[in-house]
């Protein structure tokens, strides 16, 4: 069948009114969550009539963005709340939400007329309405941009998305996910969500009746955010109607095709289902099984999902004809199953036992597909009353059924605040699992604010305007100099609230302030923003270190008359990757200028000696010059501790045979020693620390480098640490550039392990960032 042959949609009135038909005998049994949210509002005399009268003069001549009259919309929302079992107090709140938007001081006015709870609910719901409206506008802009890019790509035969640009569809998906998270943030008060669900359903009904187009953003948000939430909250009447209406707007041709197919043999199908229902119910009664057998409606969206999920044609969807059998006890489920399989022909591959093996969300039921004597297939679901309540109403039904016992669902009482909170918490846990696959992160303190372009930004609770700037873009955070929140100027450390619109004032150039890292000033809460600021200062310090190293290397090359030498070539010849790495090592004093000077000078010819140099009788070493070092396999050989790395026991050490100065002792991790080993590996010898003579515990000079935020008293505080550790400071070099102090302390120790202890204490001094041994 071609889409052009289809005549019309199924009547929207039938869709809108089907919830009433689904309620047995006109008696609406509210889910536990509806009861909990309704009873949590104070019951006031004539609250509904008073709220309607209060709102009418404010709303009668107003229109929503959809074109619907605002007062008529509020009437319809109140009617939906009534249909699903909401109290008069909840219905009254529907009017106050829309009245709130037309009052100068809404919280104050509504609190005075109706009480604090009604005022807080109205203001909070209004805030969510505004957030979602702005989010839809942003999503619509993204969608329009996507269409423009597709049209341009078709005209120019270019790829739809450039390599350096995120796909527009991904942006739209992220925006939908943010709307979902935002709704969860407001879900701490389920009454807000109840009002938004019913309002969204009425908006879809309005578009269906007026044959308007809600736009892809609103329809998609309804299908993928609101309908799943309604399902988890057990408001299934709202869920399935919202799914069908949203799907109708998103895929009108598919919707019309399925609706047409359903209508073609509707009377015949309903007659057959009713005939089988009566037959089965009578047979079960004769067996002594107290069972309720009902026809089960199949909705258009669920039919399409099954067809697509299992790659079926319409005729292969067996559960278009469907019955549900509800019995008191679990063992009766299997007795009914045996009876059904005995009187009808089962389709073996279509049987599922979700009682023995429940679904991950706790759903339990027996599903079987059978054929009658004429070969017509239909599905039968068999479950207990408790299983049915859980399937229809979610986790709250299971909790309520357990508490209420034999009273059944209608006997649920949610009069206490504790009961209401339990129901809400369990529902949100279930919904959070649906979204993320785990219960982690529920009620994690998050807020949702907006950019001036209505994009939603997620931040931690207590986040400031400066956190917001860094969340939007790192560069914007670095250059941030001021902020407006809802149009008013605020300081950068002002905490933000849910739903606020934030605009950042930024300089063209510049960087962050060191005050932003001061926790007592409260500029930053986000760990991500703090790391960005630290990274900026680290990069600045690195550039300054490289500049110092470059200056020192260039001066050395001038003295040596080697200015024509390429710096990158010099770095490579010394085993480094780039000139910048060479400058950084020199700037940090990790590579000495003497090592570069030695490297630049031509190698002298090796002296011809009959006796190897290390076997020559050495000169008598100066007192303490050897530092207690033994050359492995050779006695009394002159040694000297290298000044570039200043080793001390128990450091790992190595020796290098110099010309005329004996063996130079280096730390094993010394960069100068690494270069010497590459250049002259035959002159490297093994050395080790020797034992000190009794009463002769030698001392060794060691350099400790400190990088810190410069302040008054910094040098004194660090020197005091060394004094408390009983270490003699024999030299200090200091340099301060743009508020950053670089210090090198030369201290005397008898054991390098003393240095590690002292460095740990120095690291705790206020303002110190880096402590390392040079």
């Amino acid at each position: 069948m071609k889409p052009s042959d289809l005549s019309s949609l199924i009547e929207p009135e039938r869709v809108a009114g089907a919830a009433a038909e689904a309620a047995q005998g006109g008696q609406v049994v509210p889910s536990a969550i509806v009861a909990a949210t309704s009873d949590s509002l104070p019951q006031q005399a004539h609250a509904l009539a008073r709220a309607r009268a209060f709102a009418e003069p404010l709303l009668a001549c107003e229109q929503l963005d959809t074109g619907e009259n605002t007062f008529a919309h509020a009437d319809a929302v109140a009617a939906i709340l009534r249909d699903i079992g909401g109290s008069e107090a909840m219905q009254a709140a529907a009017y106050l939400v829309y009245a709130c938007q037309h009052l100068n001081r809404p919280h104050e006015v509504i609190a005075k007329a109706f009480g604090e709870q009604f005022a807080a609910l109205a203001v909070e719901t209004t805030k969510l309405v505004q957030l979602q409206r702005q989010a839809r506008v942003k999503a619509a802009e993204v969608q329009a941009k996507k269409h423009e890019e597709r049209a341009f790509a078709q005209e120019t035969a270019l790829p739809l998305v450039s390599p350096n640009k995120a796909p527009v569809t991904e942006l739209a998906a992220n925006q939908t996910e943010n709307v979902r998270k935002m709704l969860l943030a407001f879900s701490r008060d389920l009454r807000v969500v109840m009002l938004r669900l019913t309002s969204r359903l009425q908006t879809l009904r309005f578009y269906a009746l007026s044959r308007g187009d809600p736009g892809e953003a609103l329809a998609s948000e309804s299908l993928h955010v609101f309908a799943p939430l309604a399902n988890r909250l057990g408001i299934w009447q709202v869920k399935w109607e919202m799914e069908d209406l949203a799907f109708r707007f998103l895929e009108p041709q598919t919707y019309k095709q399925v609706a047409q197919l359903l209508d073609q043999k509707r009377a015949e199908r309903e007659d057959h289902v009713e005939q089988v229902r009566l037959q089965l119910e009578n047979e079960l009664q004769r067996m002594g099984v107290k069972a309720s057998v009902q026809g089960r409606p199949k909705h258009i969206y669920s039919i399409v999902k099954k067809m697509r999920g299992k790659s079926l044609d319409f005729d292969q969807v067996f559960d278009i004809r469907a019955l549900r059998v509800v019995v008191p006890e679990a063992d009766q489920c299997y007795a009914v199953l045996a009876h059904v399989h005995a009187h009808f022909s089962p389709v073996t591959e279509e049987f599922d036992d979700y009682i023995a093996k429940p679904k991950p969300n706790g759903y339990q039921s027996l599903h079987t597909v059978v054929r009658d004597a004429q070969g017509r297939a239909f599905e039968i679901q068999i479950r207990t009353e408790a299983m049915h309540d859980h399937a229809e109403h979610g986790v709250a039904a299971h909790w309520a059924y357990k508490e209420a016992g034999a009273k059944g669902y209608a006997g649920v009482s949610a009069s206490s605040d504790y009961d209401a909170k339990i129901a809400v918490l369990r529902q949100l846990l279930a919904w959070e699992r649906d979204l993320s696959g785990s219960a982690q992160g529920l009620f994690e303190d998050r807020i949702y604010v907006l950019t001036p372009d209505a994009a939603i930004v997620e931040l931690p609770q207590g986040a400031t305007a400066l956190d917001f700037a860094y969340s939007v873009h790192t560069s914007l955070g670095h250059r941030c100099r001021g902020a407006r929140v809802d149009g008013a100027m605020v300081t950068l450390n002002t905490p933000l609230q849910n739903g606020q619109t934030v605009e950042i004032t930024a300089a063209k150039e510049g960087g962050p302030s060191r005050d932003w890292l001061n926790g007592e000033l409260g500029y930053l809460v986000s760990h991500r923003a703090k790391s960005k600021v630290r990274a900026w200062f680290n990069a600045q310090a690195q550039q300054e270190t490289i500049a110092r190293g470059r200056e020192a290397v260039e001066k050395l090359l001038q003295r040596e008359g080697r200015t024509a030498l390429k710096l990158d070539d010099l770095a490579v010849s010394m085993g480094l990757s780039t000139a910048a790495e060479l400058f950084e090592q020199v700037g940090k004093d990790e590579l000495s200028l003497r090592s570069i000077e030695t490297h630049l000078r031509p190698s002298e010819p090796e002296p011809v000696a009959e006796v190897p140099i290390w076997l020559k009788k050495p000169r008598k070493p100066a007192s303490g010059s050897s530092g207690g070092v033994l050359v492995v396999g050779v006695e009394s050989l002159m040694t000297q501790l290298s000044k570039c790395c200043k080793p001390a026991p128990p450091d790992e050490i190595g020796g290098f045979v110099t010309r005329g100065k004996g063996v130079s002792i280096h730390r094993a991790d010394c960069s100068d020693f690494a270069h010497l080993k590459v250049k002259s590996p035959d002159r490297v010898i093994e050395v080790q620390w020797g034992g000190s003579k009794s009463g002769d515990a030698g001392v060794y000079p060691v350099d400790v480098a400190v990088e810190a935020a410069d302040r008054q008293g910094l040098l004194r505080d660090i020197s005091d640490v060394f004094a408390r550790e009983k270490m003699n400071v024999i030299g200090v070099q200091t340099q301060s550039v743009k508020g950053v102090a670089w210090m090198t302390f030369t201290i005397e120790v008898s054991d390098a392990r003393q240095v590690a202890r002292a460095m740990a204490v120095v690291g705790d001094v206020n303002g110190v960032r880096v402590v390392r041994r040079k």
Side-chain angles (χ1 to χ4, degrees):
M1 178 178 297
K2 297 179 181 179
S4 58
D5 297 333
L6 299 171
S7 57
S8 64
L9 296 168
I10 60 174
E11 292 300 319
E13 292 84 354
R14 190 176 76 200
V15 174
E21 297 175 8
Q24 295 181 10
Q27 181 68 30
V28 176
V29 180
S31 71
I33 210 71
V34 175
T37 53
S38 294
D39 290 349
S40 64
L41 278 174
Q43 302 299 318
Q44 297 181 3
H46 311 296
L48 178 56
R50 288 170 50 228
R52 192 175 190 279
F54 175 85
E56 186 171 10
L58 296 170
L59 306 180
C61 299
E62 297 294 331
Q63 275 193 342
L64 299 173
D65 296 342
T66 62
E68 184 181 11
N69 178 268
T70 307
F71 190 63
H73 182 87
D75 274 338
V77 170
I80 295 172
L81 285 166
R82 182 189 66 242
D83 291 342
I84 64 174
S87 66
E88 283 199 358
M90 277 297 292
Q91 296 171 49
Y95 293 98
L96 300 180
V97 168
Y98 295 98
C100 183
Q101 302 177 42
H102 301 281
L103 296 171
N104 290 329
R105 296 189 300 277
H107 193 285
E108 180 182 335
V109 173
I110 295 175
K112 187 174 182 180
F114 295 91
E116 178 64 29
Q117 288 201 45
F118 280 97
L121 176 58
V123 171
E124 197 74 357
T125 307
T126 301
K127 190 184 296 183
L128 182 56
V129 170
Q130 293 169 344
L131 273 172
Q132 290 172 336
R133 180 186 299 124
Q134 290 168 316
R136 281 199 309 278
V137 170
K138 182 66 177 179
E141 291 174 356
V142 170
Q143 191 65 26
K145 190 174 183 180
K146 179 178 69 173
H147 290 317
E148 289 176 6
E149 289 191 353
R150 181 177 289 113
F152 178 75
Q154 290 173 347
E155 291 176 4
T156 59
L158 293 176
L160 187 58
V161 180
S162 63
N164 298 323
K165 186 176 178 182
V168 176
T169 51
E170 182 181 338
L171 294 174
N174 290 340
Q175 190 71 5
T176 300
E177 181 62 21
N178 281 335
V179 172
R180 183 182 278 148
K181 290 178 180 178
M182 176 179 62
L183 193 57
L184 180 63
F186 279 84
S187 296
R188 289 171 175 85
D189 188 344
L190 251 292
R191 298 170 302 186
V192 174
V193 179
M194 286 286 296
L195 291 169
R196 290 305 301 132
L197 282 173
T198 49
S199 174
R200 176 55 57 87
L201 177 58
Q202 170 53 27
T203 296
L204 293 173
R205 286 181 178 181
F206 169 75
Y207 277 114
L209 290 167
S210 63
R211 298 186 181 275
D213 181 9
E216 184 176 347
L218 186 142
S220 179
E221 190 179 290
S222 301
L223 184 63
H224 300 297
V225 179
F226 284 89
L229 176 57
N231 183 51
R232 290 310 316 177
L233 297 184
I235 315 169
W236 58 275
Q237 303 102 310
V238 172
K239 178 256 185 186
W240 72 255
E241 185 179 350
M242 191 177 290
E243 282 183 340
D244 276 6
L245 288 172
F247 181 68
R248 168 182 172 173
F249 295 119
L250 289 170
E251 298 187 44
Q253 293 301 324
T254 305
Y255 182 93
K256 283 190 288 186
Q257 284 180 320
V258 177
Q260 184 80 9
L261 292 169
L262 281 171
D263 276 349
Q264 282 177 350
K265 297 182 179 180
R266 186 182 189 87
E268 176 190 336
R269 185 171 61 252
E270 290 178 352
D271 287 344
H272 175 251
V273 169
E274 180 62 17
Q275 178 185 347
V276 176
R277 188 193 71 80
L278 287 172
Q279 175 188 343
L280 185 57
E281 191 170 60
N282 291 335
E283 289 173 351
L284 292 176
Q285 284 179 355
R286 286 196 294 270
M287 289 172 57
V289 178
K290 186 180 178 182
S292 169
V293 184
Q294 300 170 353
R296 185 171 64 86
K298 192 69 179 175
H299 311 302
I300 290 177
Y301 181 65
S302 62
I303 291 172
V304 173
K305 275 209 306 184
K306 177 161 285 191
M307 290 170 64
R308 289 174 175 173
K310 295 187 175 183
S311 300
L312 302 175
D313 293 331
F314 181 81
D315 294 336
Q316 295 174 298
V317 181
F318 296 129
D319 55 343
I320 291 174
R321 292 183 174 91
L323 291 173
R324 180 177 294 132
V325 182
V326 181
V327 295
E329 302 296 336
D331 56 353
Q332 293 176 327
C333 293
Y334 291 96
V336 173
L337 178 67
H339 177 81
V340 167
H341 282 184
H343 289 74
F344 299 95
S345 300
V347 179
T348 308
E349 62 271 17
E350 293 293 333
F351 171 71
D352 292 295
D353 185 350
Y354 295 119
I355 295 179
K357 194 173 182 180
K359 290 185 178 182
N361 62 4
Y363 173 87
Q364 289 183 290
S365 186
L366 296 176
H367 290 195
T368 185
V369 175
V370 297
R371 296 183 185 274
D372 62 9
Q374 288 74 39
R376 293 172 294 189
F378 53 95
E379 183 191 61
I380 298 179
Q381 295 179 353
I382 310 167
R383 59 180 66 154
T384 66
E385 293 172 4
M387 294 173 190
H388 180 63
D389 286 339
H390 185 281
E392 295 297 328
H393 300 288
V395 179
H398 176 73
W399 160 76
Y401 187 86
K402 182 178 179 182
E403 296 295 325
K407 289 190 295 183
Y409 216 76
V412 172
S413 170
S415 56
S416 73
D417 289 341
Y418 175 77
D419 288 348
K421 288 176 181 177
I422 289 294
V424 168
L425 178 60
R426 287 182 180 273
Q427 288 305 331
L428 289 177
L429 279 168
W431 191 42
E432 179 80 349
R433 288 190 196 101
D434 287 347
L435 302 183
S436 63
S438 72
Q440 295 180 354
L442 182 69
F443 294 139
E444 182 183 1
D445 289 334
R446 311 298 292 172
I447 61 171
Y448 298 85
V449 296
L450 300 170
T451 69
D453 295 330
I456 300 169
V457 176
E458 180 183 357
L459 296 169
Q461 185 73 33
T464 64
L466 189 56
D467 283 303
F468 170 87
Y470 274 103
S471 180
V472 173
H473 198 281
T474 301
S475 174
L476 182 65
H478 290 338
R479 297 180 289 106
C480 178
R481 297 296 178 266
R484 291 181 181 272
V485 174
D486 291 337
M489 288 295 297
V490 298
T491 58
L492 293 181
N493 57 356
T494 301
L496 302 176
Q497 304 295 326
N498 251 333
Q500 291 179 326
T501 298
V502 186
E503 183 179 359
I504 297 298
T505 303
K508 290 184 178 180
E509 295 179 354
S513 164
R514 291 195 177 275
D515 287 342
W516 294 357
L517 292 174
N518 187 335
E520 295 178 358
L521 299 179
Y523 279 100
L524 293 172
V525 172
S526 163
H527 295 299
R528 178 180 179 274
K530 290 177 182 177
S531 67
K532 294 294 184 184
V533 175
R534 290 193 191 96
W536 189 89
F537 282 113
N538 289 340
Q540 293 296 111
Q542 184 183 33
Q543 292 303 317
E544 291 165 2
T545 299
I546 291 174
R548 287 200 308 273
R550 174 186 283 273
E551 183 180 4
V553 171
E554 289 178 345
K555 286 182 178 178
L556 172 63
L557 293 178
Q558 287 176 355
R559 288 198 306 269
E560 295 291 322
R562 301 291 297 275
T563 54
L565 180 64
K566 291 183 179 180
L567 295 172
D568 280 328
D569 291 343
L570 173 62
V572 171
S573 68
M574 298 193 71
L576 301 173
S577 302
T578 62
E581 187 177 351
L582 172 66
F583 301 148
E584 187 175 5
Q585 286 201 9
V586 172
K588 289 180 177 179
D589 289 337
E590 291 177 355
L591 179 64
S592 67
L593 292 174
R594 184 176 179 181
S595 177
I596 300 176
E597 184 178 354
T598 302
H599 179 82
L600 290 173
R601 290 175 180 173
S603 300
E604 298 177 8
E606 293 288 340
V608 179
E610 297 178 0
V611 182
I613 186 170
W614 52 83
L615 295 182
K616 286 185 177 181
K617 184 176 180 180
R619 290 174 295 177
K620 185 177 180 180
S623 177
S625 64
S626 68
V629 180
L630 298 178
V631 179
V632 177
V634 182
E635 294 182 359
S636 302
L637 187 61
M638 182 178 66
T639 62
Q640 59 180 350
L641 299 180
S642 172
K643 294 180 181 179
C644 61
C645 57
K646 292 188 171 75
D651 292 336
E652 291 186 21
I653 54 176
F656 185 81
V657 179
T658 64
R659 293 187 176 88
K661 295 182 180 180
V663 178
S664 176
I665 307 302
H666 295 260
R667 294 210 317 257
D669 60 352
C670 173
S671 56
D672 280 7
F673 187 47
H675 295 307
L676 292 172
K677 286 194 291 185
V678 171
K679 188 173 182 180
S680 303
D682 56 321
R683 298 170 69 180
V684 176
I685 61 175
E686 185 179 351
V687 296
Q688 64 185 25
W689 296 106
S692 298
K693 295 179 181 179
S694 177
D696 185 23
V699 292
Y700 303 86
V702 171
D703 287 343
V704 175
V706 178
E707 179 187 334
D710 201 6
R711 61 174 175 82
Q712 189 172 1
L714 176 65
L715 179 59
R716 180 196 64 233
D717 291 346
I718 297 176
S719 298
D720 286 347
V721 170
F722 290 121
R724 287 197 302 271
E725 293 294 318
K726 296 182 172 50
M727 295 180 182
N728 184 32
V729 179
I730 59 175
V732 179
Q733 294 179 350
T734 65
Q735 183 181 16
S736 180
V737 179
K738 295 182 180 180
V740 181
W742 281 275
M743 302 177 174
T744 300
F745 292 84
T746 303
I747 58 177
E748 288 184 330
V749 296
S750 58
D751 190 319
R753 285 171 290 206
Q754 291 178 275
V755 183
R757 291 196 298 272
M759 287 169 56
V761 182
V762 171
D764 293 333
V765 173
N766 183 29
V768 172
R769 297 176 191 160
V770 178
V771 184
R772 61 183 176 83
R773 185 175 166 194
K774 292 181 64 175

